């Protein structure tokens, strides 16, 4: 009986140790704080739908994916429509530059105070400004605009986040 209790305690301590690693280390934060899988096909379909409803040059438009896994669920957000903290996955922001380049940000995760995450697309190369030590701010619509250089996916796509509140 004593041996079973010792084994149960060891298993419990191991489980707590693994949990602590996943919660308190950069490895654990990287597992939780990311935009999810980059599904190019679905994301490009969202961009195409936004392009068909694109705002006038210089204006920012807000859209919503009622089902974040279904690009066909994209719709404009009503002016008075708001979403609670932790419920913003599916929000989409778009703007068209004066020279006609489309910029789109698609929010894929909202972990409340732990951050908001998504992907940014731009027809043209995005410019960034230094922000803090290693971070940069991209010139994109919406508030998901923080990046590290390693978050660039290709010439048109970036992983983006907002975690400043």
């Amino acid at each position: 009986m004593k041996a079973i209790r010792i084994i149960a305690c060891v298993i419990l301590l191991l489980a707590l140790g693994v949990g602590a690693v996943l919660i308190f280390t950069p490895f654990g934060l990287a597992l939780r704080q990311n935009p999810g899988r980059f599904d190019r096909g679905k994301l490009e379909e969202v961009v195409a739908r936004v392009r068909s409803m694109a705002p006038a040059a210089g204006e920012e438009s807000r859209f919503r994916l009622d089902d974040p896994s279904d690009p066909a669920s994209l719709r404009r957000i009503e002016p008075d429509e708001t979403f609670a903290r932790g419920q913003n996955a599916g929000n989409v922001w778009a703007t068209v530059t004066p020279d006609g380049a489309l910029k789109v940000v698609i929010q894929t995760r909202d972990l409340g105070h732990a951050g908001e995450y998504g992907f940014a697309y731009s027809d043209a190369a995005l410019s960034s400004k230094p922000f803090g030590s290693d971070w940069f701010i991209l010139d994109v619509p919406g508030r998901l605009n923080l990046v590290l250089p390693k978050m660039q996916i290709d010439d048109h796509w970036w992983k983006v986040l907002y975690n400043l509140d």
Side-chain angles (χ1 to χ4, degrees):
M1 196 61 129
K2 188 175 180 181
I4 292 173
R5 284 186 182 163
I6 291 173
I7 291 172
C9 286
V10 168
I11 290 172
L12 178 63
L13 289 174
L14 285 172
L16 290 173
V18 168
V21 167
L22 292 177
I23 291 171
F24 298 111
T25 67
F27 175 73
L29 292 175
L31 287 176
R32 288 192 325 275
Q33 296 188 0
N34 68 66
R37 188 172 72 87
F38 180 68
D39 186 336
R40 184 180 298 273
K42 283 188 181 173
L43 293 170
E44 287 183 350
E45 189 175 340
V46 171
V47 170
R49 288 180 179 277
V50 167
R51 191 180 304 279
S52 73
M53 303 187 293
E59 292 179 15
E60 183 175 307
S61 290
R62 293 177 45 218
F63 301 91
R64 177 80 175 177
L65 287 162
D66 285 326
D67 177 353
S69 68
D70 181 8
S73 71
L74 185 75
R75 64 173 175 82
R76 288 190 183 276
I77 293 178
E78 298 299 325
D80 61 340
E81 192 173 5
T82 60
F83 304 95
R85 180 177 293 282
Q87 309 258 321
N88 287 301
N91 284 347
V92 178
W93 297 266
T95 190
V96 176
T97 64
D99 61 349
L102 178 66
K103 296 179 184 181
V104 178
V105 174
I106 304 163
Q107 186 167 350
T108 54
R109 295 185 78 193
D110 182 355
L111 301 177
H113 289 292
E116 299 175 45
Y117 305 87
F119 297 96
Y121 169 85
S122 179
D123 288 339
L126 290 168
S127 61
S128 63
K129 295 184 288 190
F131 181 80
S133 57
D134 298 328
W135 292 91
F136 293 85
I137 294 178
L138 288 182
D139 179 21
V140 294
R143 68 186 201 169
L144 278 72
N145 61 1
L146 295 174
V147 297
L148 294 168
K150 68 181 179 183
M151 294 168 70
Q152 184 173 11
I153 296 169
D154 61 28
D155 289 342
H156 299 283
W157 287 99
W158 285 78
K159 296 176 187 177
V160 291
L161 67 94
Y162 176 81
N163 63 356
L164 299 178
D165 67 341

